[in-house]
Amino acid sequence: MASSTFHLLLQLSLLLALLFLQNVHPAATSCYTSIFSFGDSLADTGNFLHYANQGPEARLPYGETYFQHPTGRFSDGRLIIDFIAQAIGVPLVPPLLITSRVRPISLILPSRIKGVSTSLRVSYGIHSVTDHVVVMWVKTQQPYLAGPGDHGFRRGANFAVGGATALDNDFFRARGLDVYWTDYSLATQIDWFKKLLPSLCSSDSECEGIFSSSLFFMGEIGGNDYNEPFIQGISVDEIRTFVPDVISTITSTLKVLIELGAKTLVVPGNFPIGCVPLYLMHFQSPTAEDYDPETGCIKWLNEFSEYHNRLLLDELGKLRRLYPHVAIVYADYYEALLSIFRSPHEFGFEKPFDACCGGGSVHGCCSIPCGDEGAAVCSDPSKHISWDGVHLTEAAYKAIARGLLEGPYTAPPMIQACPHAEQHAALLRNASIRPPAQAYSASV
C-alpha cells in the first residue's frame, strides 16, 4: 500500500512539474545559461579535493575514463551534473573552493567503528587509518569569489562537497554519533552562495536576470545523513526519525534560493541504497526474503530510501503551492537507478553489484578503498554500475542523466523544457566527444 501511494504521489508530482515548466521561460536564445549545484560527493566536481588536498579521489584511477586524470570527482569520469551541463551547452560546473594552507590533522576514532572506518574513506577523503587514528590533510578554505575566467561564476558554481550532509554536525552529536567528518552541510553551502552573490550581480534586476535563466540543482543530498548512522550501527527505526529533519532542511534551503530569485530548481531523490555494494556487504543476510528477487537488492534498505523520497515529494508539493511561478522539478534518481538493476544487460552492464575499483570479499567491496595500494581496478568500467563500492561509474551516471534529459525520470524531460539541448544530446551517445570549452581547469 505504501509503495502504491508513493508511485501515485510521484506521478502527480511529475504532472505538476510539467504544468509549472510550461509557464517558466528561461532566456529564449540560450535556454539555461548557468548551473548552480549543491549536494555531496554525487555532485562534487572538486570542492573536497581543493579542501583536503589528499585522498583517494586525488589519485588515479579516479578520473581515468574521461578526463584521464583525477579532478576531484568521486568516479572514473563524468557525473550526472556534467552530462546535464554538456547537454544544455554550458561549461562544466566549477567547484567553488580555492585552496590555501595545508595542514595534517589526526582524529581519534572510538574502537566500535574501527572495523568500518575504511569503508567510507572514499566518501570523506580520509588519507590513512592507523589503529583508531584517522589522518587527513586539511586546508584553510575560502570561497574564490572572483571565480574562474572572464565570466567568473556567472556561468555557474558548484557548492557540493564530498561527505556533506543536509543536517549540521551538532544534530548527529546530539544523538550520540561519532562525528569525524567536516561540516559542509547545506547551511554552509547556502552561506557560501550568499557570499558569492555580490560578485554575481550588483542589483535586484541584474540578479533576477541571471537567476531566471539559471538551473539550480539541489542534490542529491541526504544520503550521508543516513550512511554514517547505518554504518555505526544505529537501528533503522531510529534513523527513520532523522528523515523529517533532513527533508525540512532541504526544503528550507530551497525556500532560501527561491527568495533569492531562483526560478527553476531540480531536486533529486535518494538512490536505492539497498543496491549499493557497501550496504550489500555490510548488511549481507542468509535470508533470501531480505532480497528483492527481481533486482537482488536489499528490500528493507530500499524501503528506507522510498520513505525519504515520499516525504520529499510531499514537501515539494507544498512548495509548488506556495510558489506557483517557480518550477520545482523532482528528479527520480531512485527509479532511474533501479531500472538499471532490473535490466542491467539492456544498459550494457555485466556486473551490476561488483565494484570496479577497490578490494573485498563481497562484491569487491570495501576493505581496500579504490586508489589505495593493493586495490584492484577492472579492465572496463563501462561494464560496471558501481565504481568504488559507494559511488557510480561514468557509464551509470550517463544512463541516469539520459533518463533525466530524455525522460521518463523528470517531467517534462529536460530536453523538452530546454529545446536548445537537442543539439548537445549526442554527447550522451558519443564518449569520444570532449566537453565544451570551460572556464576552469579540472586538473589539480
Side-chain angles (χ1 to χ4, degrees):
M1 181 64 180
S3 180
S4 61
T5 303
F6 170 70
H7 290 295
L8 176 60
L9 286 170
L10 176 59
Q11 291 172 3
L12 291 172
S13 175
L14 296 179
L15 176 60
L16 287 170
L18 171 62
L19 297 174
F20 285 127
L21 277 175
Q22 288 175 339
N23 293 303
V24 175
H25 303 284
T29 58
S30 59
C31 190
Y32 302 110
T33 58
S34 56
I35 296 176
F36 295 97
S37 172
F38 304 81
D40 55 27
S41 58
L42 300 181
D44 185 358
T45 55
N47 279 318
F48 190 91
L49 180 56
H50 281 292
Y51 167 74
N53 192 48
Q54 295 285 339
E57 78 286 350
R59 303 185 291 272
L60 288 170
Y62 283 88
E64 68 173 14
T65 294
Y66 188 74
F67 301 98
Q68 282 86 54
H69 61 83
T71 65
R73 289 164 174 81
F74 290 76
S75 182
D76 62 308
R78 291 166 289 182
L79 312 178
I80 293 170
I81 194 71
D82 295 315
F83 287 111
I84 299 298
Q86 290 181 324
I88 67 176
V90 301
L92 299 185
V93 189
L96 181 74
L97 297 185
I98 188 172
T99 62
S100 58
R101 293 173 299 179
V102 183
R103 62 187 178 90
I105 63 170
S106 296
L107 302 174
I108 308 301
L109 297 184
S111 59
R112 71 184 179 88
I113 63 171
K114 175 186 176 184
V116 298
S117 58
T118 57
S119 298
L120 291 180
R121 284 167 60 184
V122 290
S123 288
Y124 296 101
I126 294 170
H127 176 70
S128 63
V129 178
T130 303
D131 194 29
H132 303 152
V133 179
V134 170
V135 179
M136 302 175 69
W137 276 262
V138 181
K139 294 185 176 183
T140 304
Q141 87 291 350
Q142 293 292 333
Y144 184 36
L145 300 183
D150 295 335
H151 298 284
F153 284 119
R154 292 190 176 197
R155 300 301 304 276
N158 196 341
F159 304 85
V161 186
T165 53
L167 302 169
D168 61 39
N169 285 356
D170 288 340
F171 176 92
F172 302 104
R173 291 191 185 98
R175 286 152 182 80
L177 272 86
D178 302 305
V179 176
Y180 58 89
W181 58 91
T182 305
D183 192 348
Y184 281 136
S185 65
L186 278 182
T188 298
Q189 294 181 30
I190 202 67
D191 182 60
W192 288 341
F193 180 72
K194 290 177 180 178
K195 289 178 179 177
L196 183 66
L197 289 180
S199 70
L200 295 177
C201 47
S202 57
S203 66
D204 289 345
S205 60
E206 187 180 10
C207 290
E208 182 179 357
I210 293 174
F211 296 154
S212 64
S213 62
S214 297
L215 190 62
F216 288 80
F217 257 81
M218 181 50 62
E220 183 272 349
I221 189 69
N224 288 322
D225 296 72
Y226 312 131
N227 287 341
E228 272 297 332
F230 272 121
I231 297 303
Q232 291 191 29
I234 307 299
S235 71
V236 64
D237 289 337
E238 183 174 352
I239 299 173
R240 279 176 68 93
T241 68
F242 299 179
V243 178
D245 293 283
V246 171
I247 301 302
S248 176
T249 299
I250 293 172
T251 54
S252 295
T253 307
L254 291 170
K255 287 181 181 178
V256 171
L257 291 173
I258 292 169
E259 295 296 335
L260 289 171
K263 297 298 183 185
T264 306
L265 304 102
V266 177
V267 188
N270 276 2
F271 282 134
I273 61 174
C275 304
V276 175
L278 172 64
Y279 280 91
L280 289 166
M281 179 272 293
H282 196 73
F283 295 101
Q284 57 186 307
S285 170
T287 306
E289 289 74 16
D290 287 340
Y291 296 88
D292 182 342
E294 183 181 15
T295 63
C297 304
I298 298 176
K299 290 191 293 187
W300 64 269
L301 285 167
N302 281 357
E303 288 167 0
F304 177 89
S305 297
E306 286 190 4
Y307 176 63
H308 167 99
N309 293 339
R310 186 164 62 248
L311 265 59
L312 178 60
L313 276 168
D314 288 342
E315 292 304 312
L316 294 184
K318 295 175 184 178
L319 281 181
R320 293 189 184 105
R321 292 189 291 271
L322 188 61
Y323 301 101
H325 299 296
V326 175
I328 302 172
V329 180
Y330 177 71
D332 192 0
Y333 280 18
Y334 181 93
E335 281 296 328
L337 183 55
L338 201 63
S339 69
I340 297 174
F341 282 106
R342 291 190 184 108
S343 304
H345 293 287
E346 291 183 13
F347 292 86
F349 298 112
E350 297 177 357
K351 298 180 178 181
F353 293 119
D354 290 355
C356 172
C357 182
S361 59
V362 181
H363 302 301
C365 176
C366 294
S367 57
I368 304 177
C370 180
D372 274 14
E373 184 178 354
V377 185
C378 67
S379 60
D380 188 354
S382 69
K383 303 299 183 184
H384 291 250
I385 296 172
S386 177
W387 167 243
D388 56 19
V390 179
H391 309 96
L392 305 184
T393 59
E394 175 182 281
Y397 286 133
K398 177 179 178 180
I400 293 168
R402 286 189 62 178
L404 302 180
L405 286 162
E406 302 174 356
Y409 302 112
T410 56
M414 296 181 72
I415 283 181
Q416 180 181 332
C418 182
H420 166 74
E422 287 284 2
Q423 59 184 294
H424 298 277
L427 287 165
L428 292 179
R429 303 180 182 88
N430 190 339
S432 66
I433 299 178
R434 302 302 298 168
Q438 54 194 43
Y440 83 102
S441 172
S443 62
V444 294

